[in-house]
Amino acid sequence: MSSSSDSFSSLTLNIGIVGFGTFGQFLAKTMIQQGHTISATSRTDYSQLCHQLGISFFRDVAAFVEADNDVILISTSILSLSKMLKSIPFRCLKRRTLFVDVLSVKEHPRDVLLQVLPEEMDLLCTHPMFGPESGKSGWEDLVLMYDKVRVRDEATCSSFLRIFERQGCRMMQMSCEEHDRLAARSQFLTHAIGRILSETGIESTSINTKSFETLVKLKESTTNDSFDLFSGLFIHNRFAKQELMNLEHAFQMVKKKLLQTANEEQIPNKSNHQMDSC
Ligand code: NAP
């Protein structure tokens, strides 16, 4: 770890990424631009891509863990977290390391990581509230939620957070519980509605209203994310089930009101009309 000369006087970090899929790659690009040294390990072999990006790729997890990382950043799918952590030989860690996760749910990784991490390792739980699509033109004003669950090495933690601050992110410190409560009402709901819209098969038409275009975009953006991510938002956020029930209830309420109004208007249903005239 060495001091850099940027205006934030932050530290240049060695960051090892576990899970080099879409989101891991997306974060790595900005971290490299800021001068941090990145290495990665993943289930899939990303050696060639990493070579192009100037990243060391480790097929062997033990060698990855033994490398001199200031930060180990976990960016695997929510569903694979527990299984993936079983494959990490924590005993090979040579010194205090800051573990950071970027999973879209927060209580689950906090609990699992607190169980498996050696006590001397620090833990920062984060959720960048954006992705490769919403963050493609920059991270200005996009939210980075974080919870310093167990941080003793403040310099490393603050240098890591500064990566997002330097990109103009809105830095939101809150508990993992509060995050999950809010995210169930916002992110999970958004993904659920996007998936429902996809099930209806909606497509752009020649007479789109602006609002309908928003719906088509919502369908596209949510289905671009993996189904693993969507199901993880449901399975590992204890507040999501209630939101799904609320959504179902709300649908029934809207349907009931429409049918009630139609009855009050006494608009004869075509099939009833045909039956009447028989
Ligand atoms: P994802 O489908 O949630 O996760 C893909 C990653 O998980 C890949 O690195 C993949 O490894 C790994 N993985 C999946 N199954 C695995 C298994 N059985 N064993 C080991 N590794 C496995 O898609 P993502 O968009 O890249 O998201 C990564 C994390 O970032 C997730 O936790 C997500 O909640 C979070 N996040 C995503 C976004 C976003 O916009 N995409 C935004 C904020 C946070 P391989 O590639 O090697 O197969």
Side-chain angles (χ1 to χ4, degrees):
M1 192 158 59
S2 59
S3 276
S4 79
S5 59
D6 64 61
S7 56
F8 295 90
S9 62
S10 58
L11 302 168
T12 304
L13 301 169
N14 290 334
I15 303 172
I17 300 179
V18 185
F20 204 61
T22 315
F23 198 59
Q25 292 167 32
F26 169 70
L27 291 178
K29 285 173 191 158
T30 295
M31 290 170 179
I32 292 169
Q33 277 167 15
Q34 288 193 11
H36 301 288
T37 303
I38 308 297
S39 61
T41 188
S42 210
R43 174 182 61 169
T44 304
D45 183 2
Y46 289 105
S47 316
Q48 224 172 341
L49 173 67
C50 283
H51 180 70
Q52 286 161 13
L53 295 169
I55 293 174
S56 321
F57 185 78
F58 293 80
R59 292 242 65 187
D60 176 16
V61 185
F64 169 84
V65 170
E66 276 171 19
D68 189 30
N69 291 305
D70 302 305
V71 176
I72 290 189
L73 176 69
I74 296 169
S75 182
T76 50
S77 69
I78 299 166
L79 296 185
S80 67
L81 177 72
S82 301
K83 185 173 161 229
M84 183 282 293
L85 287 173
K86 285 196 181 104
S87 71
I88 297 194
F90 292 105
R91 64 183 185 286
C92 296
L93 285 161
K94 288 201 179 127
R95 61 183 170 98
R96 171 173 289 160
T97 307
L98 173 66
F99 279 74
V100 180
D101 87 279
V102 292
L103 274 62
S104 306
V105 294
K106 293 277 47 86
E107 289 193 306
H108 172 62
R110 177 200 62 195
D111 295 348
V112 175
L113 281 160
L114 282 176
Q115 268 172 29
V116 301
L117 283 183
E119 210 284 322
E120 61 273 24
M121 300 300 152
D122 282 358
L123 176 59
L124 174 71
C125 290
T126 76
H127 184 196
M129 307 297 300
F130 53 93
E133 191 50 38
S134 51
K136 68 179 171 202
S137 316
W139 301 359
E140 188 82 33
D141 261 348
L142 301 173
V143 172
L144 185 273
M145 169 272 161
Y146 66 97
D147 186 2
K148 293 182 182 182
V149 174
R150 187 169 72 198
V151 172
R152 287 146 298 189
D153 178 354
E154 287 288 345
T156 301
C157 180
S158 120
S159 298
F160 180 82
L161 289 172
R162 204 156 285 136
I163 294 171
F164 294 86
E165 196 180 49
R166 282 178 62 180
Q167 296 304 118
C169 286
R170 277 197 288 132
M171 308 297 285
M172 295 288 294
Q173 186 167 13
M174 69 174 67
S175 70
C176 292
E177 176 179 347
E178 182 63 2
H179 167 278
D180 282 4
R181 194 187 299 278
L182 294 175
R185 294 223 87 167
S186 54
Q187 191 186 26
F188 170 71
L189 206 56
T190 308
H191 278 252
I193 290 171
R195 293 276 166 182
I196 292 167
L197 289 172
S198 170
E199 287 295 328
T200 69
I202 65 160
E203 294 293 346
S204 187
T205 72
S206 54
I207 54 165
N208 283 357
T209 60
K210 287 285 170 206
S211 304
F212 184 68
E213 271 169 19
T214 309
L215 289 190
V216 174
K217 276 190 197 137
L218 174 64
K219 178 204 84 167
E220 284 164 0
S221 70
T222 48
T223 49
N224 272 345
D225 284 325
S226 69
F227 195 78
D228 265 16
L229 199 159
F230 177 50
S231 38
L233 293 179
F234 179 68
I235 297 168
H236 290 294
N237 182 336
R238 65 190 165 106
F239 303 104
K241 199 172 177 185
Q242 184 61 51
E243 294 305 329
L244 191 64
M245 290 196 297
N246 291 349
L247 189 61
E248 200 172 8
H249 178 70
F251 175 79
Q252 293 302 338
M253 290 304 289
V254 171
K255 188 176 165 190
K256 195 172 150 192
K257 277 184 200 162
L258 278 177
L259 293 177
Q260 228 166 25
T261 314
N263 276 342
E264 281 161 19
E265 288 289 316
Q266 290 180 327
I267 297 169
N269 176 308
K270 198 178 175 195
S271 57
N272 288 345
H273 188 68
Q274 278 168 350
M275 280 176 73
D276 290 349
S277 57
C278 280

